[in-house]
Amino acid sequence: MASETEIRLEETGSGGVYVLRPEAGEAARMTFSRAGDHLIVIDHTEVPEAFRGQGIGLKLVQRAVEDARRSGRKIIPLCPFARAQFQRHPDYSDVLES
C-alpha cells in the first residue's frame, strides 16, 4: 500500500486534488473545492479498479483531514465515499462541518 508521503496536493484558486499514484500509470484522486477561507468540500474520489480494496481512498481522506487540522479548516464530505469514511471514523468529527 502507498504511504501518505506519496500523496501529492495540487491546488488551484478555487479547489484542488489529492493524487496518489501507487504504481506507474494510473492514479487515485480526490477532488475538492473551497467554500470560503476555512471550508473545503470533498466532491469526488476516484480509485482505479486495480487498486481498490487496498485502503488508498481512505489514505486520501486521511490526508485531507490532517491538512484541515493543520490549517484550521472544516470539511463537507459531499462525495459518498468520503462521507462514508467520516461516518466510520468519529475521530474525524473535529474537522466535519456541522
Side-chain angles (χ1 to χ4, degrees), residues 4-98:
E4 177 187 338
T5 58
E6 297 169 317
I7 297 172
R8 188 175 72 246
L9 172 59
E10 300 172 0
E11 294 187 87
T12 65
S14 62
V17 60
Y18 288 94
V19 180
L20 193 151
R21 194 174 305 276
E23 298 176 9
E26 296 183 271
R29 302 173 186 282
M30 184 177 70
T31 60
F32 66 90
S33 53
R34 286 192 186 79
D37 291 335
H38 301 289
L39 184 63
I40 67 167
V41 179
I42 297 175
D43 47 32
H44 182 70
T45 304
E46 181 179 341
V47 176
E49 188 68 37
F51 305 127
R52 292 194 181 156
Q54 298 177 32
I56 291 172
L58 175 58
K59 288 283 188 192
L60 293 169
V61 174
Q62 287 172 332
R63 170 68 188 274
V65 167
E66 291 166 5
D67 287 354
R69 286 177 176 148
R70 278 192 291 274
S71 65
R73 291 183 175 151
K74 296 286 187 177
I75 297 174
I76 296 175
L78 283 185
C79 162
F81 176 82
R83 185 172 45 249
Q85 295 310 311
F86 271 81
Q87 291 170 348
R88 288 185 186 121
H89 297 274
D91 54 311
Y92 296 172
S93 65
D94 60 316
V95 296
L96 181 63
E97 177 65 24
S98 50

